[in-house]
Amino acid sequence: MNRLTPAQRRATCIHEAGHAVAFALGGVSVHRLAVADEGAEAWRTDIRNGRMCTGLWGLCEKANLVLPRQFLRWLMNEGCLHPDGRGHPQLLQRPEGRAQVEGFSARLQREIRAQMVGLMAGPAAEQIFTGKAVRLCPAGEFDEVRQAEDLSWLLAARDAFADAVALTAHTLSQPEVWAAVESVAVELERAGTLTRGLRGLLPAALPDWPPGGSAA
């Protein structure tokens, strides 16, 4: 990694703020935002699960998705326990897997969509900030987009990923949402770490959001 320039740090703040604002809209709790110091050559920071975050310039630490125990037991019995959906698309294409997913409550399905949108809102916000068209491709440069696609396997609708991509871009295009992203990014750039008072900077959760189906 090269030294973190002021422009890169600013874009990183926008990236992490995009995550935080979208997660907040979907009712996903955000615990901490952090960004490396200007001029840093490398960066590492502790995260809540006892691990260390490395290889990145910023962090948005949020609440994890909690899946039903019976689903996790089924994955374990099948020899594929990845709660975030990673690594088992073929497993979830089987009738038993589809039946498990189709049994998820409406509330859990909404939380999965909220996690997907929140993950992709970081890359999307950075692309908007740097003047690029929003392109959220699982094979692209942003690992969060691949994570969102993995989560889409936990939804019954097979167009769930495309819908979440459209909803992410649509949400960030709303003036009040983008204003919230910029406001949080300014505070993060100034402070370097946001924990106390972070909730007061973020928008309130929207009822029944994200919706199912297309954003259009």
Side-chain angles (χ1 to χ4, degrees), residues 13-216:
C13 290
I14 288 284
H15 184 118
E16 304 307 335
H19 282 311
V21 168
F23 281 132
L25 290 173
V28 179
S29 296
V30 179
H31 306 296
R32 181 168 69 109
L33 296 180
V35 64
D37 292 333
E38 183 181 323
E41 294 182 346
W43 187 64
R44 56 192 298 168
T45 185
D46 292 325
I47 50 181
R48 292 171 68 247
N49 62 10
R51 294 186 300 170
M52 182 77 69
C53 174
T54 60
L56 300 172
W57 289 130
L59 172 71
C60 174
E61 198 169 359
K62 49 85 178 176
N64 293 328
L65 174 65
V66 179
L67 295 173
R69 290 183 180 179
Q70 65 268 26
F71 178 71
L72 298 180
R73 282 198 299 269
W74 179 76
L75 287 177
M76 183 169 61
N77 291 338
E78 295 293 331
C80 187
L81 182 59
H82 295 289
D84 62 357
R86 183 177 59 221
H88 51 247
Q90 292 181 340
L91 193 65
L92 293 176
Q93 284 178 322
R94 286 169 31 187
E96 311 95 291
R98 300 316 305 164
Q100 288 278 345
V101 166
E102 288 165 4
F104 287 172
S105 68
R107 179 177 179 179
L108 177 57
Q109 292 177 48
R110 186 174 298 115
E111 185 181 351
I112 293 169
R113 291 194 296 271
Q115 293 272 351
M116 291 170 64
V117 173
L119 284 167
M120 291 191 289
E126 183 175 342
Q127 290 173 340
I128 293 169
F129 178 72
T130 55
K132 299 176 182 177
V134 174
R135 293 177 58 85
L136 299 171
C137 174
E141 62 178 309
F142 295 107
D143 184 57
E144 301 106 311
V145 181
R146 182 196 58 78
Q147 294 175 37
E149 187 195 36
D150 291 340
L151 284 176
S152 73
W153 286 98
L154 302 179
L155 293 170
R158 288 277 51 93
D159 58 353
F161 177 72
D163 284 342
V165 168
L167 182 58
T168 302
H170 174 75
T171 300
L172 289 173
S173 72
Q174 304 307 299
E176 66 278 11
V177 174
W178 187 252
V181 171
E182 291 185 316
S183 178
V184 173
V186 166
E187 288 301 311
L188 177 59
E189 187 174 14
R190 179 189 62 79
T193 299
L194 293 175
T195 48
R196 289 186 178 181
L198 175 57
R199 181 175 298 181
L201 296 173
L202 297 173
L206 298 175
D208 301 322
W209 192 91
S214 175

